[in-house]
């Protein structure tokens, strides 16, 4: 039951991150800070936790549907991040070609 609750909290959190990531009015620096904060890459003090490496960590006993839902939702966030990095690289490449 605790693992199922933990999975639901993760799912709610990642849904919130995805909704914020879809907003076009956010500055790129805000999107970057949000994504780094989600990965725990921005220091919040002296004691920094390790980044979450797997969305299924410590939720081994949840039903298969919930496992797949977590994996698919986290995959959407990874796809968003990769698309943003790709766009930044393409923009940088175009600017270098102009120079």
């Amino acid at each position: 039951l605790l693992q199922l609750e933990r999975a639901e909290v993760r799912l709610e959190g990642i849904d919130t991150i995805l909704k914020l990531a879809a907003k076009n009015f956010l500055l790129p620096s805000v999107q970057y800070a949000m994504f780094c904060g989600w990965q725990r890459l921005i220091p919040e003090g002296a004691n920094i936790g390790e980044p979450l490496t797997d969305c299924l960590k410590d939720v081994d006993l949840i039903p298969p549907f919930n496992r797949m839902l977590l994996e698919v939702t986290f995959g959407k966030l990874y796809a968003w991040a990769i698309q943003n990095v790709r766009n930044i690289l393409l923009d940088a490449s175009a600017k270098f070609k102009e120079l």
Side-chain angles (χ1 to χ4, degrees):
L1 180 63
L2 290 177
Q3 288 188 9
L4 189 56
E5 289 175 359
R6 184 180 299 131
E8 288 174 0
V9 168
R10 284 185 191 167
L11 189 58
E12 287 177 22
I14 199 66
D15 280 337
T16 302
I17 295 283
L18 281 171
K19 287 176 186 173
L20 286 173
K23 303 292 183 186
N24 292 331
F25 60 83
L26 291 177
L27 296 172
S29 60
V30 173
Q31 289 180 341
Y32 177 76
M34 180 182 67
F35 189 65
C36 288
W38 174 72
Q39 288 184 315
R40 296 185 218 156
L41 298 176
I42 297 176
E44 296 178 351
N47 188 6
I48 300 172
E50 291 184 19
L52 187 62
T53 56
D54 184 20
C55 64
L56 298 176
K57 184 177 179 181
D58 298 329
V59 290
D60 300 327
L61 302 176
I62 64 174
F65 175 77
N66 295 54
R67 294 172 63 92
M68 292 306 298
L69 191 59
L70 266 177
E71 287 182 339
V72 167
T73 309
F74 271 75
K76 289 178 184 177
L77 182 66
Y78 296 142
W80 171 81
I82 290 169
Q83 184 64 36
N84 277 350
V85 169
R86 181 180 182 276
N87 290 340
I88 290 169
L89 291 175
L90 289 175
D91 288 344
S93 176
K95 287 180 182 178
F96 280 125
K97 287 180 182 178
E98 289 176 5
L99 295 175

